[in-house]
Amino acid sequence: MTDSSESTESMLAQLPMENFWDIPLYQWQGLRYRSYHLQATMDLRSHFSARHDDIILASPMKTGTTWLKALCFSILNAAASGGDNRETLAKTDEDHRDPLVENHPAVYVQTLEVQVYTSNPLPNISSMKSPRLFHTHFPYTALPDSVKTTGCKLVYIARNPKDTLVSMWHFFNNLRTPQQGPYPFEKAFEMFINGVSHFGPFFDHVLQYWNQSLKAPNKVLFLKYEDLKGNPIKEVKKLASFMGKPFGDDKKVEDEIWQCSLERLKNLEVNKNGVDPWAGMHNSAYFRTGIVGDWKNMMSDEMSQRLDRITESKFKGSGLCFEI
Ligand code: A3P
Protein backbone atom coordinates (compact mmCIF):
# COMPACT_ATOMS: atom_id res chain seq x y z
CA MET A 1 0.00 0.00 0.00
CA THR A 2 1.38 3.46 -0.87
CA ASP A 3 1.29 6.39 1.59
CA SER A 4 -1.36 8.03 -0.51
CA SER A 5 -3.62 4.97 -0.61
CA GLU A 6 -3.17 4.54 3.16
CA SER A 7 -4.26 8.10 3.79
CA THR A 8 -7.25 7.69 1.45
CA GLU A 9 -8.21 4.49 3.30
CA SER A 10 -8.23 6.31 6.60
CA MET A 11 -10.11 9.22 5.04
CA LEU A 12 -12.77 6.83 3.65
CA ALA A 13 -13.40 5.47 7.11
CA GLN A 14 -14.46 8.96 8.23
CA LEU A 15 -16.75 9.76 5.30
CA PRO A 16 -20.52 9.21 5.09
CA MET A 17 -21.22 6.23 2.86
CA GLU A 18 -24.38 5.25 0.96
CA ASN A 19 -25.02 2.46 -1.47
CA PHE A 20 -25.89 3.25 -5.06
CA TRP A 21 -27.41 -0.04 -6.21
CA ASP A 22 -24.79 -2.34 -4.62
CA ILE A 23 -21.91 0.08 -4.97
CA PRO A 24 -20.65 2.02 -1.94
CA LEU A 25 -20.33 5.75 -2.61
CA TYR A 26 -18.52 8.11 -0.24
CA GLN A 27 -19.53 11.68 0.27
CA TRP A 28 -16.61 14.06 0.05
CA GLN A 29 -16.96 17.82 -0.19
CA GLY A 30 -20.67 17.41 -0.91
CA LEU A 31 -20.38 14.98 -3.85
CA ARG A 32 -20.25 11.21 -4.04
CA TYR A 33 -17.38 9.02 -5.18
CA ARG A 34 -16.45 5.39 -5.40
CA SER A 35 -13.40 4.62 -3.28
CA TYR A 36 -11.07 4.32 -6.26
CA HIS A 37 -12.38 7.56 -7.73
CA LEU A 38 -11.51 9.30 -4.51
CA GLN A 39 -8.03 7.83 -4.54
CA ALA A 40 -7.65 9.01 -8.13
CA THR A 41 -8.87 12.50 -7.15
CA MET A 42 -6.17 12.74 -4.50
CA ASP A 43 -3.49 11.54 -6.92
CA LEU A 44 -4.69 13.83 -9.67
CA ARG A 45 -4.72 16.83 -7.37
CA SER A 46 -1.23 16.03 -6.12
CA HIS A 47 0.43 15.16 -9.40
CA PHE A 48 -1.48 16.35 -12.48
CA SER A 49 0.05 19.37 -14.10
CA ALA A 50 -2.14 20.87 -16.80
CA ARG A 51 -0.59 22.28 -19.95
CA HIS A 52 -1.89 25.52 -21.38
CA ASP A 53 -3.13 23.66 -24.47
CA ASP A 54 -4.71 20.63 -22.77
CA ILE A 55 -8.37 20.06 -23.52
CA ILE A 56 -10.32 18.37 -20.77
CA LEU A 57 -13.79 17.02 -21.38
CA ALA A 58 -16.06 16.76 -18.38
CA SER A 59 -19.51 15.30 -17.78
CA PRO A 60 -21.79 13.61 -15.32
CA MET A 61 -22.36 9.95 -16.19
CA LYS A 62 -24.68 9.11 -19.11
CA THR A 63 -24.96 12.58 -20.60
CA GLY A 64 -23.19 11.94 -23.91
CA THR A 65 -19.58 11.47 -22.81
CA THR A 66 -18.84 8.85 -25.45
CA TRP A 67 -20.24 11.07 -28.19
CA LEU A 68 -18.23 14.05 -27.00
CA LYS A 69 -15.06 11.92 -26.83
CA ALA A 70 -15.61 10.72 -30.39
CA LEU A 71 -16.29 14.23 -31.69
CA CYS A 72 -13.32 15.91 -29.98
CA PHE A 73 -10.95 13.12 -30.92
CA SER A 74 -12.09 13.26 -34.55
CA ILE A 75 -11.84 17.04 -34.69
CA LEU A 76 -8.23 16.94 -33.48
CA ASN A 77 -7.38 13.92 -35.56
CA ALA A 78 -8.82 15.37 -38.76
CA ALA A 79 -7.12 18.70 -38.19
CA ALA A 80 -3.79 16.96 -37.52
CA SER A 81 -4.07 14.91 -40.69
CA GLY A 82 -4.86 17.72 -43.07
CA GLY A 83 -6.10 20.83 -41.34
CA ASP A 84 -8.27 23.11 -43.39
CA ASN A 85 -7.02 21.53 -46.58
CA ARG A 86 -8.10 18.03 -45.65
CA GLU A 87 -10.05 16.40 -48.40
CA THR A 88 -13.42 14.94 -47.75
CA LEU A 89 -12.95 11.19 -47.93
CA ALA A 90 -15.33 8.75 -49.49
CA LYS A 91 -17.08 7.01 -46.61
CA THR A 92 -15.59 3.60 -47.43
CA ASP A 93 -12.06 5.03 -47.59
CA GLU A 94 -12.67 6.88 -44.41
CA ASP A 95 -13.52 3.69 -42.57
CA HIS A 96 -10.05 2.39 -43.35
CA ARG A 97 -8.41 5.50 -42.00
CA ASP A 98 -10.67 6.26 -39.09
CA PRO A 99 -9.24 5.09 -35.74
CA LEU A 100 -12.78 4.95 -34.34
CA VAL A 101 -13.23 1.82 -36.43
CA GLU A 102 -10.48 0.13 -34.41
CA ASN A 103 -11.37 1.16 -30.87
CA HIS A 104 -14.07 2.57 -28.65
CA PRO A 105 -13.66 6.37 -28.29
CA ALA A 106 -12.63 5.87 -24.64
CA VAL A 107 -9.36 4.33 -25.80
CA TYR A 108 -8.38 7.63 -27.45
CA VAL A 109 -9.76 9.98 -24.85
CA GLN A 110 -9.09 8.44 -21.49
CA THR A 111 -11.00 9.24 -18.34
CA LEU A 112 -8.57 10.50 -15.72
CA GLU A 113 -10.10 8.71 -12.74
CA VAL A 114 -10.94 5.48 -14.57
CA GLN A 115 -8.06 4.86 -16.96
CA VAL A 116 -5.21 7.23 -16.19
CA TYR A 117 -4.91 7.54 -12.41
CA THR A 118 -6.49 4.26 -11.31
CA SER A 119 -3.89 2.11 -9.56
CA ASN A 120 -1.22 4.50 -10.72
CA PRO A 121 -0.58 7.75 -8.90
CA LEU A 122 2.14 8.74 -11.39
CA PRO A 123 1.05 7.80 -14.91
CA ASN A 124 3.40 8.70 -17.70
CA ILE A 125 1.40 11.40 -19.43
CA SER A 126 4.11 14.01 -19.74
CA SER A 127 5.36 12.41 -22.96
CA MET A 128 1.97 12.76 -24.64
CA LYS A 129 1.95 15.07 -27.63
CA SER A 130 0.08 18.36 -27.37
CA PRO A 131 -2.75 19.06 -27.42
CA ARG A 132 -3.57 16.37 -24.88
CA LEU A 133 -7.19 15.34 -24.67
CA PHE A 134 -8.55 13.87 -21.42
CA HIS A 135 -11.93 13.32 -19.88
CA THR A 136 -13.18 13.38 -16.31
CA HIS A 137 -16.41 12.92 -14.38
CA PHE A 138 -14.97 14.92 -11.48
CA PRO A 139 -16.95 17.93 -10.32
CA TYR A 140 -15.35 21.29 -11.06
CA THR A 141 -14.49 21.84 -7.39
CA ALA A 142 -12.41 18.65 -7.30
CA LEU A 143 -10.22 19.53 -10.29
CA PRO A 144 -6.55 20.25 -9.66
CA ASP A 145 -5.60 23.92 -9.42
CA SER A 146 -3.46 23.76 -12.54
CA VAL A 147 -6.56 22.94 -14.61
CA LYS A 148 -8.27 26.04 -13.28
CA THR A 149 -5.36 28.44 -13.48
CA THR A 150 -3.64 27.56 -16.76
CA GLY A 151 -5.04 28.31 -20.20
CA CYS A 152 -6.23 24.73 -20.66
CA LYS A 153 -9.82 24.41 -21.83
CA LEU A 154 -12.77 22.49 -20.46
CA VAL A 155 -15.66 21.17 -22.52
CA TYR A 156 -18.63 20.02 -20.46
CA ILE A 157 -21.61 18.04 -21.70
CA ALA A 158 -24.86 17.94 -19.75
CA ARG A 159 -28.22 16.38 -20.46
CA ASN A 160 -31.71 16.72 -19.08
CA PRO A 161 -31.95 14.89 -15.74
CA LYS A 162 -34.82 12.62 -16.80
CA ASP A 163 -33.02 11.05 -19.76
CA THR A 164 -29.79 10.97 -17.76
CA LEU A 165 -31.45 8.91 -15.04
CA VAL A 166 -33.10 6.52 -17.49
CA SER A 167 -29.85 6.08 -19.39
CA MET A 168 -28.06 5.39 -16.10
CA TRP A 169 -30.65 2.81 -15.11
CA HIS A 170 -30.20 0.94 -18.39
CA PHE A 171 -26.41 1.16 -18.15
CA PHE A 172 -26.08 -0.20 -14.62
CA ASN A 173 -28.58 -2.94 -15.34
CA ASN A 174 -25.89 -4.34 -17.65
CA LEU A 175 -23.92 -5.21 -14.52
CA ARG A 176 -26.73 -7.34 -13.13
CA THR A 177 -27.15 -11.03 -13.70
CA PRO A 178 -30.24 -12.41 -15.47
CA GLN A 179 -31.23 -13.90 -12.10
CA GLN A 180 -31.10 -10.48 -10.45
CA GLY A 181 -33.08 -8.85 -13.24
CA PRO A 182 -33.28 -5.07 -13.67
CA TYR A 183 -32.91 -2.91 -10.59
CA PRO A 184 -36.28 -1.50 -9.44
CA PHE A 185 -36.63 1.77 -11.32
CA GLU A 186 -38.50 3.40 -8.42
CA LYS A 187 -35.49 2.84 -6.14
CA ALA A 188 -33.09 4.21 -8.77
CA PHE A 189 -35.33 7.26 -9.08
CA GLU A 190 -35.33 7.94 -5.34
CA MET A 191 -31.55 7.65 -5.21
CA PHE A 192 -31.08 10.01 -8.11
CA ILE A 193 -33.33 12.73 -6.71
CA ASN A 194 -31.57 12.40 -3.38
CA GLY A 195 -28.20 12.93 -5.02
CA VAL A 196 -27.03 9.34 -4.61
CA SER A 197 -25.22 8.63 -7.86
CA HIS A 198 -21.63 8.66 -9.06
CA PHE A 199 -20.38 12.24 -8.57
CA GLY A 200 -23.90 13.23 -7.52
CA PRO A 201 -25.96 15.22 -6.81
CA PHE A 202 -26.30 15.51 -10.57
CA PHE A 203 -27.73 19.04 -10.21
CA ASP A 204 -24.75 20.34 -8.24
CA HIS A 205 -22.31 18.83 -10.72
CA VAL A 206 -24.06 20.51 -13.65
CA LEU A 207 -24.42 23.84 -11.87
CA GLN A 208 -20.75 23.99 -10.95
CA TYR A 209 -19.70 23.82 -14.60
CA TRP A 210 -22.60 25.96 -15.79
CA ASN A 211 -21.57 28.77 -13.43
CA GLN A 212 -17.94 28.47 -14.52
CA SER A 213 -18.98 28.64 -18.17
CA LEU A 214 -20.81 31.90 -17.46
CA LYS A 215 -17.83 33.32 -15.58
CA ALA A 216 -15.22 32.23 -18.11
CA PRO A 217 -16.80 31.34 -21.47
CA ASN A 218 -13.43 31.18 -23.20
CA LYS A 219 -12.26 28.59 -20.71
CA VAL A 220 -15.37 26.44 -20.20
CA LEU A 221 -17.69 25.46 -23.02
CA PHE A 222 -21.02 24.13 -21.78
CA LEU A 223 -22.82 21.86 -24.23
CA LYS A 224 -26.18 20.17 -23.94
CA TYR A 225 -26.89 16.73 -25.39
CA GLU A 226 -30.28 17.94 -26.63
CA ASP A 227 -28.70 20.85 -28.55
CA LEU A 228 -26.19 18.50 -30.17
CA LYS A 229 -29.03 16.26 -31.27
CA GLY A 230 -31.22 19.17 -32.39
CA ASN A 231 -28.67 21.25 -34.26
CA PRO A 232 -25.48 19.23 -34.65
CA ILE A 233 -23.95 21.48 -37.32
CA LYS A 234 -24.16 24.57 -35.17
CA GLU A 235 -22.96 22.78 -32.02
CA VAL A 236 -20.09 20.90 -33.65
CA LYS A 237 -18.86 24.08 -35.33
CA LYS A 238 -18.99 25.82 -31.97
CA LEU A 239 -17.08 22.94 -30.39
CA ALA A 240 -14.38 22.87 -33.07
CA SER A 241 -13.89 26.64 -32.89
CA PHE A 242 -13.62 26.48 -29.11
CA MET A 243 -10.95 23.79 -29.49
CA GLY A 244 -9.04 26.07 -31.84
CA LYS A 245 -9.74 23.84 -34.88
CA PRO A 246 -12.54 25.60 -36.76
CA PHE A 247 -14.05 23.93 -39.79
CA GLY A 248 -13.63 25.39 -43.24
CA ASP A 249 -17.00 24.37 -44.61
CA ASP A 250 -20.22 22.68 -43.61
CA LYS A 251 -19.59 19.55 -45.70
CA LYS A 252 -16.68 18.67 -43.43
CA VAL A 253 -18.82 19.30 -40.38
CA GLU A 254 -21.46 16.96 -41.78
CA ASP A 255 -18.80 14.28 -42.35
CA GLU A 256 -17.61 14.65 -38.78
CA ILE A 257 -21.17 14.34 -37.48
CA TRP A 258 -21.77 11.22 -39.54
CA GLN A 259 -18.45 9.71 -38.47
CA CYS A 260 -19.34 10.12 -34.79
CA SER A 261 -23.04 9.35 -35.09
CA LEU A 262 -24.67 6.83 -32.81
CA GLU A 263 -25.92 4.88 -35.81
CA ARG A 264 -22.42 4.47 -37.20
CA LEU A 265 -20.49 3.87 -33.97
CA LYS A 266 -23.07 1.47 -32.58
CA ASN A 267 -22.78 -0.73 -35.65
CA LEU A 268 -18.99 -0.92 -35.79
CA GLU A 269 -17.69 -4.37 -35.00
CA VAL A 270 -15.55 -3.08 -32.11
CA ASN A 271 -18.57 -1.55 -30.42
CA LYS A 272 -20.90 -4.46 -31.12
CA ASN A 273 -18.60 -7.14 -29.74
CA GLY A 274 -15.70 -5.46 -27.94
CA VAL A 275 -15.26 -5.19 -24.18
CA ASP A 276 -14.25 -2.17 -22.14
CA PRO A 277 -11.45 -3.58 -19.96
CA TRP A 278 -11.61 -0.74 -17.44
CA ALA A 279 -15.25 -0.97 -16.48
CA GLY A 280 -15.67 -4.64 -17.42
CA MET A 281 -18.62 -3.68 -19.64
CA HIS A 282 -19.39 -4.60 -23.20
CA ASN A 283 -18.71 -1.63 -25.47
CA SER A 284 -22.27 -1.96 -26.69
CA ALA A 285 -23.49 -0.74 -23.27
CA TYR A 286 -22.30 2.76 -24.18
CA PHE A 287 -24.51 2.97 -27.26
CA ARG A 288 -28.26 2.62 -26.83
CA THR A 289 -31.04 4.69 -28.36
CA GLY A 290 -29.88 8.28 -27.82
CA ILE A 291 -33.47 9.49 -27.84
CA VAL A 292 -34.36 12.82 -26.28
CA GLY A 293 -37.47 12.11 -24.22
CA ASP A 294 -36.84 8.38 -23.73
CA TRP A 295 -37.71 8.96 -20.05
CA LYS A 296 -41.37 8.86 -21.08
CA ASN A 297 -41.03 5.10 -21.44
CA MET A 298 -40.01 4.69 -17.81
CA MET A 299 -41.43 7.43 -15.64
CA SER A 300 -44.89 7.76 -14.23
CA ASP A 301 -46.56 11.19 -14.38
CA GLU A 302 -46.03 11.53 -10.67
CA MET A 303 -42.29 10.85 -10.98
CA SER A 304 -42.00 13.18 -13.92
CA GLN A 305 -43.69 16.03 -12.07
CA ARG A 306 -41.61 15.45 -8.96
CA LEU A 307 -38.40 15.54 -10.92
CA ASP A 308 -39.55 18.66 -12.77
CA ARG A 309 -40.20 20.43 -9.48
CA ILE A 310 -36.79 19.44 -8.10
CA THR A 311 -35.01 20.47 -11.30
CA GLU A 312 -36.79 23.80 -11.32
CA SER A 313 -35.90 24.55 -7.72
CA LYS A 314 -32.26 23.46 -8.14
CA PHE A 315 -31.66 25.50 -11.29
CA LYS A 316 -33.79 28.47 -10.24
CA GLY A 317 -32.05 31.76 -10.94
CA SER A 318 -29.15 30.10 -12.78
CA GLY A 319 -30.50 30.65 -16.29
CA LEU A 320 -30.00 26.94 -17.01
CA CYS A 321 -32.80 24.88 -18.49
CA PHE A 322 -33.08 21.70 -20.56
CA GLU A 323 -35.30 20.57 -23.35
CA ILE A 324 -37.16 17.48 -22.18
P1 A3P B 1 -29.20 6.50 -24.02
O1 A3P B 1 -28.97 5.54 -22.91
O2 A3P B 1 -30.29 7.48 -23.71
O3 A3P B 1 -29.39 5.87 -25.33
P2 A3P B 1 -22.30 8.37 -21.86
O4 A3P B 1 -21.48 8.28 -23.09
O5 A3P B 1 -22.08 9.62 -21.06
O6 A3P B 1 -22.20 7.13 -21.05
O7 A3P B 1 -23.82 8.51 -22.34
C1 A3P B 1 -24.47 7.43 -22.93
C2 A3P B 1 -25.66 7.96 -23.69
O8 A3P B 1 -25.20 8.62 -24.87
C3 A3P B 1 -26.57 6.84 -24.13
O9 A3P B 1 -27.90 7.40 -24.17
C4 A3P B 1 -26.04 6.54 -25.53
O10 A3P B 1 -26.96 5.87 -26.36
C5 A3P B 1 -25.74 7.93 -26.01
N1 A3P B 1 -24.71 7.96 -27.07
C6 A3P B 1 -23.57 7.23 -27.16
N2 A3P B 1 -22.90 7.52 -28.29
C7 A3P B 1 -23.64 8.45 -28.93
C8 A3P B 1 -23.48 9.14 -30.18
N3 A3P B 1 -22.43 8.90 -30.96
N4 A3P B 1 -24.42 10.02 -30.53
C9 A3P B 1 -25.50 10.26 -29.74
N5 A3P B 1 -25.71 9.64 -28.57
C10 A3P B 1 -24.79 8.74 -28.16
Side-chain angles (χ1 to χ4, degrees):
M1 212 185 241
T2 64
D3 287 353
S4 115
S5 61
E6 261 174 47
S7 66
T8 307
E9 284 283 314
S10 59
M11 181 177 140
L12 287 176
Q14 319 282 323
L15 297 177
M17 190 276 277
E18 292 137 299
N19 275 328
F20 165 87
W21 302 43
D22 298 326
I23 302 167
L25 297 182
Y26 296 86
Q27 209 181 122
W28 178 69
Q29 297 191 344
L31 286 102
R32 290 170 178 81
Y33 298 76
R34 286 173 87 140
S35 55
Y36 75 89
H37 289 152
L38 210 46
Q39 176 65 56
T41 316
M42 301 304 143
D43 292 335
L44 185 77
R45 284 157 68 102
S46 305
H47 304 297
F48 183 78
S49 177
R51 289 185 195 154
H52 75 280
D53 54 2
D54 281 345
I55 299 173
I56 300 183
L57 315 183
S59 59
M61 277 192 174
K62 311 321 292 173
T63 60
T65 312
T66 310
W67 193 10
L68 184 65
K69 284 182 176 186
L71 284 167
C72 293
F73 170 74
S74 291
I75 288 169
L76 288 187
N77 196 42
S81 60
D84 280 347
N85 298 323
R86 65 185 182 265
E87 291 300 320
T88 300
L89 301 165
K91 291 194 188 341
T92 46
D93 288 342
E94 199 167 342
D95 267 357
H96 293 301
R97 294 160 62 174
D98 177 10
L100 291 174
V101 173
E102 302 298 326
N103 289 296
H104 186 280
V107 170
Y108 303 114
V109 187
Q110 302 211 335
T111 295
L112 289 165
E113 65 276 15
V114 178
Q115 292 148 288
V116 185
Y117 278 88
T118 298
S119 335
N120 186 3
L122 291 170
N124 182 16
I125 49 176
S126 55
S127 58
M128 281 172 75
K129 271 201 314 201
S130 283
R132 299 183 302 183
L133 193 53
F134 295 111
H135 164 260
T136 187
H137 287 304
F138 285 148
Y140 183 81
T141 45
L143 296 177
D145 286 343
S146 68
V147 172
K148 298 176 184 169
T149 55
T150 56
C152 87
K153 292 189 171 185
L154 287 157
V155 181
Y156 188 75
I157 186 159
R159 186 181 194 185
N160 80 70
K162 291 175 166 179
D163 285 333
T164 302
L165 163 62
V166 168
S167 184
M168 195 182 289
W169 180 76
H170 282 286
F171 182 76
F172 283 101
N173 275 333
N174 286 302
L175 291 175
R176 291 171 69 84
T177 63
Q179 290 71 26
Q180 287 176 311
Y183 193 79
F185 183 70
E186 294 70 20
K187 280 173 86 175
F189 179 87
E190 291 300 327
M191 282 181 187
F192 185 80
I193 61 173
N194 287 307
V196 185
S197 62
H198 291 69
F199 310 99
F202 167 85
F203 306 98
D204 298 28
H205 198 286
V206 175
L207 273 179
Q208 285 188 6
Y209 283 93
W210 170 251
N211 289 332
Q212 287 305 318
S213 75
L214 297 181
K215 265 192 221 158
N218 295 328
K219 167 119 186 136
V220 183
L221 177 67
F222 190 98
L223 299 174
K224 295 180 195 168
Y225 185 90
E226 295 77 16
D227 293 345
L228 261 171
K229 290 285 285 193
N231 196 342
I233 295 199
K234 176 171 167 232
E235 294 303 301
V236 171
K237 278 166 97 168
K238 194 201 303 181
L239 172 62
S241 298
F242 181 80
M243 293 171 70
K245 308 287 177 198
F247 281 99
D249 65 64
D250 282 4
K251 177 73 186 79
K252 287 177 185 136
V253 190
E254 281 168 19
D255 285 349
E256 204 73 31
I257 292 167
W258 167 80
Q259 202 170 337
C260 299
S261 64
L262 180 59
E263 296 65 32
R264 175 173 183 256
L265 295 184
K266 189 178 174 162
N267 290 307
L268 293 173
E269 183 57 27
V270 63
N271 296 325
K272 280 204 287 194
N273 295 312
V275 174
D276 162 10
W278 295 281
M281 293 284 227
H282 288 281
N283 286 345
S284 57
Y286 293 86
F287 306 93
R288 206 176 58 87
T289 61
I291 293 173
V292 176
D294 190 37
W295 60 269
K296 290 179 189 139
N297 295 315
M298 290 304 302
M299 268 183 219
S300 64
D301 289 349
E302 197 260 326
M303 283 173 166
S304 160
Q305 286 158 16
R306 248 177 103 195
L307 188 42
D308 283 345
R309 282 195 298 276
I310 292 168
T311 306
E312 212 181 298
S313 80
K314 295 278 187 185
F315 292 161
K316 196 170 176 188
S318 68
L320 178 60
C321 60
F322 287 96
E323 185 196 320
I324 51 170

